[in-house]
Amino acid sequence: DAGVTQSPTHLIKTRGQQVTLRCSPKSGHDTVSWYQQALGQGPQFIFQYYEEEERQRGNFPDRFSGHQFPNYSSELNVNALLLGDSALYLCASSLRGRDQPQHFGDGTRLSIL
Amino acid sequence: QKEVEQNSGPLSVPEGAIASLNCTYSDRGSQSFFWYRQYSGKSPELIMFIYSNGDKEDGRFTAQLNKASQYVSLLIRDSQPSDSATYLCAAQRGDMRFGAGTRLTVKP
């Protein structure tokens, strides 16, 4: 049973660049959520996708955008990178439905120089 | 006031003891509550979820929820050194809100 997979594992970018992170949900899951986790903090909700649409969004600027594909996989795009965007980006998948448990992937460590 | 608050710790317990982790939340509309374990450098791993007031047990873990007090706890019985990790509490009302985590150390 394949769990949540994310790519790449690590990424180094410079300020002003753009980045795309990818996520494949756990088998059978149709909902994908993205989180940003800074060092020593809990994950912060970015947004959630199901049925290929953004359904909920946290307090993140429009520089953060996403997409979900018909096979339920998802991308997170961040434009005009800032130093403060350096963090662990986590993807979590779940079944659609109110308050279903979410299962996390291993994350992408993004470093901005 | 943070939406989900946890003692940052570190909480240190001897091997075999009961570890008690606590969490409070501010949004009374929160419906579901989750405990995740996160080892250093790894991603969060779901341990328990609880929706109703009272206790829920799974092996060595017991989650407790008191919606009137807006309080969630996690008890770990017979703590093992492998339980040493950061424990994240989360409350969900649509989106999921996490606390900053409590670092637990179990000493052999």
Side-chain angles (χ1 to χ4, degrees):
Chain A
D1 181 17
V4 181
T5 59
Q6 292 187 244
S7 63
T9 305
H10 295 89
L11 206 49
I12 299 175
K13 292 286 188 178
T14 58
R15 282 179 298 174
Q17 286 189 312
Q18 179 265 342
V19 69
T20 297
L21 310 181
R22 295 176 175 82
C23 171
S24 292
K26 183 177 179 179
S27 179
H29 286 181
D30 57 3
T31 298
V32 173
S33 302
W34 286 92
Y35 295 83
Q36 179 194 67
Q37 187 175 25
L39 203 60
Q41 300 297 317
Q44 298 295 311
F45 174 74
I46 303 175
F47 42 54
Q48 184 181 74
Y49 278 83
Y50 61 85
E51 293 186 344
E52 302 179 48
E53 290 191 18
E54 181 182 299
R55 299 294 179 171
Q56 297 180 77
R57 187 179 183 92
N59 188 25
F60 279 80
D62 292 345
R63 298 187 297 110
F64 290 76
S65 63
H67 189 77
Q68 186 180 35
F69 299 94
N71 66 352
Y72 309 122
S73 67
S74 177
E75 290 182 348
L76 164 65
N77 301 293
V78 187
N79 295 323
L81 287 166
L82 303 174
L83 292 178
D85 294 332
S86 294
L88 178 67
Y89 288 84
L90 294 162
C91 170
S93 74
S94 60
L95 291 170
R96 180 182 172 181
R98 187 177 178 85
D99 301 342
Q100 291 292 319
Q102 297 183 12
H103 298 265
F104 285 88
D106 290 337
T108 294
R109 175 78 57 187
L110 177 62
S111 299
I112 311 301
L113 303 180
Chain B
Q1 180 188 13
K2 293 183 179 179
E3 294 188 30
V4 179
E5 298 214 40
Q6 300 179 249
N7 290 328
S8 61
L11 172 66
S12 182
V13 301
E15 184 176 355
I18 295 175
S20 178
L21 303 163
N22 304 314
C23 170
T24 58
Y25 61 95
S26 60
D27 182 0
R28 282 196 173 275
S30 298
Q31 297 292 321
S32 306
F33 304 87
F34 304 85
W35 283 99
Y36 287 84
R37 176 175 63 197
Q38 187 171 27
Y39 293 112
S40 181
K42 301 296 185 182
S43 64
E45 173 191 8
L46 180 66
I47 299 176
M48 295 279 291
F49 56 91
I50 186 166
Y51 301 145
S52 304
N53 278 329
D55 295 359
K56 179 181 179 182
E57 185 175 320
D58 184 1
R60 295 187 297 113
F61 299 97
T62 298
Q64 299 174 318
L65 173 61
N66 184 326
K67 289 187 178 180
S69 301
Q70 296 176 248
Y71 176 87
V72 191
S73 67
L74 179 70
L75 300 178
I76 306 175
R77 291 181 297 280
D78 188 23
S79 295
Q80 301 297 309
S82 59
D83 294 326
S84 298
T86 295
Y87 288 80
L88 297 164
C89 171
Q92 189 168 32
R93 182 190 186 185
D95 62 314
M96 189 178 289
R97 306 298 173 101
F98 283 84
T102 298
R103 188 159 41 139
L104 171 67
T105 300
V106 180
K107 295 187 175 181

